[in-house]
Amino acid sequence: MTERDKSVYLMLGTDAEKKRPSVVAGAVNDTIYAMKVVAESYGVVFSDAVIDQLFEPLPLIEAGDS
């Protein structure tokens, strides 16, 4: 397996939880935030527009759906 073939999954939870849209959206949200923080620790800063574009397609998490 090459380095490019490897994947990292940051979702925690049971298989049933991982199928809920709110859990998936939360994991994607956490991943975008982690990417931003790690990049900044290396001196790379993404513009607010780029970060907003990443967050934009995420569904709003309804109360009680999480």
Side-chain angles (χ1 to χ4, degrees):
M1 177 183 314
T2 68
E3 191 64 33
R4 296 187 85 134
D5 294 332
K6 295 180 182 176
S7 297
V8 176
Y9 297 96
L10 300 175
M11 283 183 56
L12 301 175
T14 65
D15 286 342
E17 290 171 334
K18 292 177 185 179
K19 293 177 184 174
R20 290 181 22 216
S22 63
V23 174
V24 173
V28 172
N29 181 43
D30 293 346
T31 302
I32 295 167
Y33 179 73
M35 176 197 71
K36 180 180 181 227
V37 171
V38 170
E40 288 173 354
S41 76
Y42 284 95
V44 176
V45 178
F46 294 103
S47 70
D48 289 339
V50 168
I51 297 300
D52 290 346
Q53 286 176 341
L54 293 171
F55 281 117
E56 188 175 306
L58 294 178
L60 292 176
I61 299 173
E62 300 288 331
D65 187 32
S66 53

